[in-house]
Amino acid sequence: MIGQEVFKNISEEACRALESVVGPEYLSTDPVLCSAYVGRGFDRQIFLFNEISRAPAAVIMPENTEQVARIVKVCNLYKIPFTPMSSYGMAFGGPNFRDDFLFIDLKRMNHMWLDEKNMYVVLEPAVYFAQMHGDTLKRGLIGCVPGGGGGTSVLANSLVNGMGLFNYRITYAAQRRWNGIEWVSPEGEIYRFGSLVAGDDSWFWQDGPGPNLSGLLHGITGWGGAMGIVTKMSTKLYPYPPRKLEPEGISYDSCVKLPEDREKWYNFSFSNEADVEKALDEIARARIGFIVNRVPSFWRDIARTRGDLAYRNRFWELWEPQTREEVSGRRILRVLLVGRSGQAELEYEERVLMDIVNENNGKLLKARQVDEASFFAVNSLGMWQPTGMFGDCDTGMETMKAIREMGERWRKRETEKEYTADFLDPKGDTPWYMAYNMGRLYYSELHAWPDAAQMDRGDKAEHKPGLEDRFMRWRVSEAGRIIIETGNQGFFYSLVTPVRVFAPALQNYDVWLDRMKAEFDPNGISAPGHPYIFDEIVDKVFPGAITDELKDAVKKVAEGPWNGNPEK
Ligand SMILES: Cc1cc2nc3c(=O)[nH]c(=O)nc-3n(C[C@H](O)[C@H](O)[C@H](O)COP(=O)(O)OP(=O)(O)OC[C@H]3O[C@@H](n4cnc5c(N)ncnc54)[C@H](O)[C@@H]3O)c2cc1C
């Protein structure tokens, strides 16, 4: 084993059995090495500051599917809880209130096989978006990079949401993009799904004889590692002009230059939301555009700042002098046009776009012809943490009407004193939203950004007492309630939401999760606690996060006619 040998939480006999699977250089129980695996990424602060994240008892790094299956069998034999990780961009898999779990780090499994002709790619867990796009773009094929950036695993992201800016053209549901899948069950059996029944090379289809089982692996928005380990996934790719996009600079001050013959960014300003909505509707009807996004003003100020250290100071210098009147009286629409069949298509789409914007009182602004957030998504994380922490990100998806109502409710609530005293003041311009599936669906995000230092209980000088409780109440009860009451579908239901609280409003999907879990993980060792860890966090650490108003809202939605109940 690597480093210090410690057998406090996992017995020496079990550790030796694990070591015999991967060899001594790929297992460690050293507390220093293990502490590197305490939650990182999205949501890490709330877990760290409140001592919810813990270090694993051991870390193991398998090389292939057979090793994964043998590790899981050893875990079942010795009843060792385990958590898989592909890139560990999202810390929600880490927290589990335990010290005795094995962390299965899949980063050695990083192969990819591209089938250019049939437009799909077979991926192991540790192939990241930037790596995949580096290869596929040259061959005229594209996937869908999520907001989490180019450093997240394509496979793990597909198990969760798989959503990003390209969803205007590419279906938003990652699950619909899957083909064949290889899975190690929580008991350590290897299964192959979909067209793989026709042979080991048949990765082309999600379906096959018999029922489609992909829902078992996806749950509602992922299992947080609680349903075994996906070791290979085939996912569809989509046509795009062949490109070798050259990076410039060093992250966080980097971008890719866009060749202007086929791609072009446009920024427009409008004075009100109604004009933006009309423009969006017409853009979708005209079947033009590749990315269509109503962005918040402060993203522009974040984008103007360069580099990491200077980033926050520069952002505040730009953002603070702007008044609420200025910001709320300006709406910015950002559009990427792509001439997929040639330059003539780009020119045509540009003419149509300009007509639509002019007819709806929009004004063309300057736009840099570079990309920082779509193809390789190198710097996109900056836009999620203007106050130094990821904060709250809740989402709603539905029609334009539902998104509009959600936005109006949120803006009204946000102007109330407590919100602006605790969180970044968005000055009446958020929530932002974008069109998916060529305008048939809209997606919007509700944020609350507290100051990172004020949230840190360990920071004696800066900590603001009670802020974390108000933050969690906002996140679970205020934002959560606005989303369900306006008929929107959330995006984080099994990830950073107390599942049991919201499930009655969503056809009690936890009943199905429980049934599947009991059937496939009888020892309960695959990421124990998940996908209900947020219920546990709220119960144990933030009991005030669930308000009576939220409980009433869930009850009202659960009893509505849309859930099969008689009309009242
Ligand atoms: C700031 C920010 C913004 C984001 N915005 C978006 C967005 O707009 N759209 C979007 O779709 N996503 C978004 N995400 C999510 C992100 O892009 C990834 O989908 C997410 O982090 C999961 O991928 P990962 O590589 O980080 O997985 P990991 O952190 O490695 O794992 C995520 C979970 O999946 C489990 N898991 C990992 N690998 C496997 C496996 N092989 N088999 C079974 N279970 C596994 C883990 O146990 C864990 O619970 C965002 C994340 C961040 C940090």
Side-chain angles (χ1 to χ4, degrees):
M1 277 190 274
I2 299 280
Q4 198 189 342
E5 298 192 351
V6 177
F7 304 114
K8 194 170 137 225
N9 289 309
I10 303 179
S11 72
E12 176 164 7
E13 188 183 309
C15 285
R16 296 293 168 218
L18 291 168
E19 193 176 22
S20 72
V21 177
V22 290
E25 65 275 42
Y26 293 111
L27 176 70
S28 180
T29 54
D30 188 324
V32 176
L33 288 178
C34 289
S35 66
Y37 288 83
V38 181
R40 297 186 262 147
F42 193 74
D43 255 324
R44 68 173 175 234
Q45 296 96 338
I46 196 81
F47 297 148
L48 273 180
F49 296 161
N50 295 284
E51 292 169 16
I52 296 165
S53 292
R54 311 261 176 91
V59 177
I60 196 162
M61 295 173 70
E63 189 184 15
N64 53 43
T65 305
E66 287 64 36
Q67 287 191 0
V68 172
R70 285 173 62 202
I71 291 167
V72 173
K73 286 211 156 122
V74 172
C75 288
N76 274 275
L77 187 65
Y78 291 95
K79 308 284 182 290
I80 307 166
F82 65 85
T83 291
M85 279 293 161
S86 289
S87 66
Y88 208 14
M90 202 142 186
F92 60 77
N96 54 17
F97 296 99
R98 308 179 69 117
D99 302 305
D100 60 346
F101 68 106
L102 173 71
F103 198 98
I104 305 182
D105 181 345
L106 300 163
K107 73 161 75 73
R108 290 174 72 210
M109 297 175 64
N110 59 0
H111 296 91
M112 130 175 169
W113 299 266
L114 179 64
D115 185 331
E116 220 172 310
K117 180 163 164 260
N118 295 303
M119 301 202 303
Y120 67 77
V121 61
V122 181
L123 302 153
E124 287 190 329
V127 178
Y128 308 138
F129 273 100
Q131 295 167 331
M132 182 183 87
H133 267 176
D135 259 323
T136 62
L137 270 171
K138 283 186 273 186
R139 295 169 168 83
L141 292 167
I142 203 162
C144 187
V145 184
T152 49
S153 151
V154 185
L155 182 153
N157 176 247
S158 305
L159 287 175
V160 179
N161 286 310
M163 292 181 203
L165 296 172
F166 295 154
N167 289 139
Y168 183 73
R169 286 275 171 184
I170 299 175
T171 177
Y172 78 96
Q175 201 184 334
R176 293 186 195 151
R177 307 196 292 262
W178 297 357
N179 297 313
I181 285 190
E182 180 185 80
W183 175 56
V184 173
S185 77
E187 291 188 283
E189 299 302 329
I190 302 174
Y191 292 93
R192 294 190 169 85
F193 286 46
S195 51
L196 285 165
V197 291
D200 284 353
D201 289 334
S202 300
W203 289 95
F204 61 88
W205 198 23
Q206 185 184 98
D207 259 303
N212 180 328
L213 291 178
S214 56
L216 168 65
L217 302 183
H218 192 260
I220 184 160
T221 44
W223 281 91
M227 190 45 74
I229 304 179
V230 174
T231 44
K232 286 192 195 85
M233 173 186 280
S234 159
T235 180
K236 290 175 194 163
L237 296 171
Y238 297 81
Y240 195 84
R243 281 283 179 267
K244 186 165 188 311
L245 296 176
E246 294 293 348
E248 270 191 5
I250 297 171
S251 190
Y252 290 68
D253 186 5
S254 61
C255 60
V256 286
K257 269 204 121 137
L258 292 183
E260 285 188 44
D261 59 331
R262 299 284 278 273
E263 288 103 342
K264 203 163 169 194
W265 276 112
Y266 303 81
N267 294 334
F268 303 103
S269 75
F270 293 79
S271 61
N272 62 69
E273 206 75 70
D275 282 344
V276 182
E277 286 182 13
K278 272 192 261 151
L280 281 170
D281 187 49
E282 286 176 34
I283 289 169
R285 280 173 199 278
R287 321 307 284 162
I288 61 164
F290 202 79
I291 296 175
V292 183
N293 197 352
R294 207 294 258 157
V295 298
S297 276
F298 62 82
W299 279 4
R300 188 184 54 168
D301 298 315
I302 289 177
R304 281 179 183 166
T305 64
R306 319 258 26 108
D308 191 30
L309 278 181
Y311 152 64
R312 276 177 205 119
N313 292 340
R314 184 84 187 108
F315 166 68
W316 287 104
E317 279 165 23
L318 290 166
W319 177 244
E320 277 206 315
Q322 297 175 54
T323 64
R324 182 166 271 267
E325 287 67 40
E326 273 174 80
V327 175
S328 61
R330 180 178 64 215
R331 295 286 184 260
I332 297 179
L333 179 66
R334 190 161 156 76
V335 178
L336 176 72
L337 297 184
V338 177
R340 283 162 305 131
S341 59
Q343 199 172 354
E345 186 185 3
L346 175 64
E347 287 163 5
Y348 163 77
E349 290 204 4
E350 184 180 73
R351 286 197 300 277
V352 178
L353 178 66
M354 291 307 168
D355 282 352
I356 291 172
V357 170
N358 288 335
E359 280 161 20
N360 290 291
N361 314 311
K363 210 173 97 205
L364 182 65
L365 305 172
K366 274 197 209 140
R368 280 176 80 207
Q369 294 309 321
V370 296
D371 186 78
E372 292 184 56
S374 326
F375 295 92
F376 300 105
V378 276
N379 299 332
S380 58
L381 289 187
M383 76 193 201
W384 305 89
Q385 39 186 340
T387 56
M389 77 173 276
F390 284 120
D392 175 29
C393 169
D394 264 298
T395 66
M397 280 183 288
E398 245 300 334
T399 56
M400 171 68 90
K401 180 169 178 280
I403 290 291
R404 181 192 308 126
E405 276 177 30
M406 184 176 83
E408 283 168 2
R409 281 269 308 270
W410 192 89
R411 274 195 289 278
K412 186 163 172 290
R413 200 81 185 89
E414 161 265 305
T415 47
E416 288 168 23
K417 195 168 174 298
E418 188 186 85
Y419 181 93
T420 42
D422 279 340
F423 309 126
L424 173 93
D425 180 0
K427 303 180 184 176
D429 177 39
T430 54
W432 66 273
Y433 56 91
M434 67 180 162
Y436 278 179
N437 290 14
M438 300 206 80
R440 286 186 291 274
L441 183 69
Y442 280 84
Y443 169 93
S444 182
E445 293 192 351
L446 311 182
H447 291 282
W449 277 302
D451 185 293
Q454 291 181 357
M455 284 284 280
D456 184 355
R457 288 187 209 255
D459 188 330
K460 297 282 173 263
E462 298 277 339
H463 178 237
K464 191 172 173 186
L467 178 58
E468 54 281 348
D469 297 315
R470 294 195 293 281
F471 170 76
M472 288 299 278
R473 197 185 67 227
W474 173 269
R475 156 182 216 163
V476 176
S477 287
E478 297 287 356
R481 188 175 140 211
I482 292 173
I483 292 166
I484 57 168
E485 283 189 343
T486 50
N488 282 278
Q489 160 79 23
F491 162 99
F492 285 125
Y493 280 131
S494 57
L495 308 176
V496 287
T497 302
V499 174
R500 306 271 191 209
V501 176
F502 284 88
L506 298 154
Q507 291 91 28
N508 295 304
Y509 65 92
D510 57 332
V511 173
W512 281 99
L513 296 183
D514 292 343
R515 283 182 191 153
M516 290 182 197
K517 186 74 179 161
E519 184 66 33
F520 289 98
D521 187 13
N523 288 320
I525 57 169
S526 188
H530 286 272
Y532 302 115
I533 215 69
F534 224 76
D535 293 80
E536 211 176 322
I537 290 173
V538 165
D539 283 350
K540 289 185 176 158
V541 191
F542 301 105
I546 298 169
T547 60
D548 289 342
E549 288 81 10
L550 175 68
K551 288 185 201 155
D552 288 346
V554 170
K555 189 163 174 288
K556 198 171 116 204
V557 176
E559 288 170 355
W562 43 83
N563 274 342
N565 300 308
E567 197 99 38
K568 282 189 186 153

